[in-house]
Amino acid sequence: MKMKQIADILQISPADKLKLSALTDRIHNLTANTKEVTTGTCFVAIKGANFDGHTAIKEVFENGAVLAVVDSASTVTLPTEYTDRIIAVHNTHKSLAQLATIFYHNPSADLSMIGVTGTNGKTTVTHLISEIMSDNNQPTGIIGTMYNKIGDTKISTINTTPDANTLNQTLNEMRNQNMTGCAMEVSSIALDQGRTYGVDFNVAVFTNFTEDHLLYHKTMENYFAAKALLFSQLGNGYDVNNIKTAVINTDDSYGNRLIGMTSANIITYGLDESAIVRAKEINISSNGTSFVLSIYGEEYNVNTPLIGMFNVYNTLAAVAACFAMNLAPEQIVNKLSTLHGVEGRFQLVPNDSGITAIVDYAHTPDGLKNVLATINDFAEKRVFCVIGCGGDRDRQKRPLMADVAAQLATNAIFTSDNPRKKDPDAILDDMTNHLPMKSFTRITDRTEAINYALSHALPGDVVLIAGKGHEKYQIIGTTKSYFSDFDVINANFTRKMSLLS
């Protein structure tokens, strides 16, 4: 990347433009991470929650950086010996996105980009879209909570939506690996922080909207405003070669609000008769779900192994998105019967005990309510629910989660999730202080809680272990240790079978 390209795309002062014109270096690396600085790096200083990149300017130059982009509002004293190689911008988050787009040659423009936002369902919807599109000879990568996926390769991630530089780097790799598209989870925090600036989305999908992330957003309106950015940022122009489509769940009242916030084409989905993509005559069992799918009034019989009403909505969202990407209804419907579930999303744990054990990521009141409602539709006997709440997260959500479990499960068992730096018992107090003692069981240790539920369950009962889903860790204090709900359940069943044999 040339200095002139930087001068052309960033909004900087005439003095900083002169600085760039005097530099002859080429940029060979772009990063906001001090640990990734090498010779020829352009370093973008970002003030994060735990570290301020502005405090490391001298260090990055000593390690080979040739240019630093800083925030004009930063109060950190910068080293004077590098003044001729430091330029200031109004927003370094946006500048990182702008520079990454140039550095990686605008990869999103060469991919069919499908962004999925909403409180619940993002992971399942992106996986379903990828599976349907890939099965129709349009290999589609995934960026999301569980991992980034390029072809058959899964790459571990830290955030649901990565920073702008990592995002463009990943999209560039997808392009290099001959992916034709990307199904991407887009979080509200990422939208608020501008991590997706510059990504040329073709389709934006809205799943639903319920309470979450209020520790960050403070209010529901702020939270919704962040979600809405995905749709307002689809653009205002109309290019026949780059049609934009918003796919919106209009059974959700917030979805109806989104319709007026985008100039893009709109495909609605839901159960209401007015939806363009609609499900009716729904039948849910412990083996799967069947329904009649209507697309613009044309009807198709659907049988899917995915279980639950929430998965009907997830399927409709994926169908509408793939339809927006110009797949024929028949191409989409033919794949629905062989869709695979997502790890940690209503995942059944195989066993011969007669107990139905399920691991699910439900970590919001609405998500837990949907999962338990689905279980109650087919449960023969009792329903055990093991659930906790995370530390350093929305405190007001804790009693709401407990209420859902106590109301919809016959046996509610409250335990630890990822307490982080908070006292696990204080979190459990927040969850249970308002509940009658006889309405729940409280076991702080998560392994003990899971084993308690399984030891008390009998054939015909259902045991739901909720909150962590696919996660392979538990964070207690600052220690992150291996932990898997699935493995704990599996080990319990293995011990039982060993004793019986």
Side-chain angles (χ1 to χ4, degrees), residues 208 214 224 259 307 404 434:
N208 49 64
L214 294 189
F224 177 68
I259 291 176
I307 300 170
V404 172
H434 66 297

Side-chain angles (χ1 to χ4, degrees), residues 101-325:
T101 301
I102 293 176
F103 188 78
Y104 293 104
H105 307 289
N106 199 12
S108 70
D110 295 327
L111 297 168
S112 296
M113 293 297 306
I114 304 170
V116 181
T117 197
T119 305
N120 299 310
K122 296 186 295 296
T123 299
T124 298
V125 172
T126 52
H127 278 73
L128 297 183
I129 291 169
S130 174
E131 198 172 342
I132 294 168
M133 296 296 291
S134 297
D135 195 60
N136 283 282
N137 300 314
Q138 297 186 41
T140 299
I142 295 171
I143 293 176
T145 303
M146 294 174 61
Y147 43 66
N148 297 336
K149 189 169 183 280
I150 305 175
D152 294 326
T153 303
K154 296 177 181 177
I155 305 157
S156 61
T157 57
I158 299 173
N159 298 316
T160 296
T161 310
D163 67 85
N165 192 47
T166 304
L167 176 54
N168 277 276
Q169 189 177 24
T170 304
L171 294 176
N172 183 53
E173 186 59 26
M174 287 184 181
R175 178 174 58 185
N176 292 341
Q177 295 296 324
N178 298 315
M179 298 288 105
T180 63
C182 173
M184 174 178 165
E185 294 184 51
V186 187
S187 72
S188 59
I189 296 173
L191 286 162
D192 185 67
Q193 294 179 351
R195 294 185 215 159
T196 58
Y197 282 153
V199 177
D200 189 15
F201 288 106
N202 302 94
V203 175
V205 180
F206 171 75
T207 59
N208 49 64
F209 185 79
T210 59
E211 183 174 320
D212 202 10
H213 300 304
L214 294 189
L215 187 65
Y216 177 90
H217 293 293
K218 308 303 181 186
T219 70
M220 288 290 282
E221 278 303 305
N222 289 345
Y223 178 32
F224 177 68
K227 293 286 188 190
L229 287 172
L230 180 62
F231 300 86
S232 62
Q233 291 174 1
L234 278 175
N236 198 49
Y238 296 110
D239 181 351
V240 70
N241 296 313
N242 191 14
I243 300 298
K244 309 291 187 179
T245 305
V247 171
I248 296 175
N249 172 10
T250 46
D251 285 354
D252 189 301
S253 60
Y254 283 92
N256 287 293
R257 288 176 60 181
L258 284 174
I259 291 176
M261 296 182 179
T262 179
S263 62
N265 288 340
I266 292 172
I267 297 178
T268 59
Y269 74 90
L271 307 187
D272 189 84
E273 291 183 3
S274 63
I276 292 171
V277 176
R278 179 187 171 218
K280 61 181 184 178
E281 299 177 30
I282 301 166
N283 182 40
I284 298 169
S285 73
S286 59
N287 298 315
T289 303
S290 65
F291 59 90
V292 174
L293 171 67
S294 173
I295 302 178
Y296 277 108
E298 295 293 324
E299 296 186 350
Y300 309 85
N301 292 319
V302 169
N303 290 283
T304 172
L306 304 180
I307 300 170
M309 186 61 73
F310 59 92
N311 271 322
V312 173
Y313 278 98
N314 290 338
T315 303
L316 290 177
V319 167
C322 293
F323 182 71
M325 294 305 302

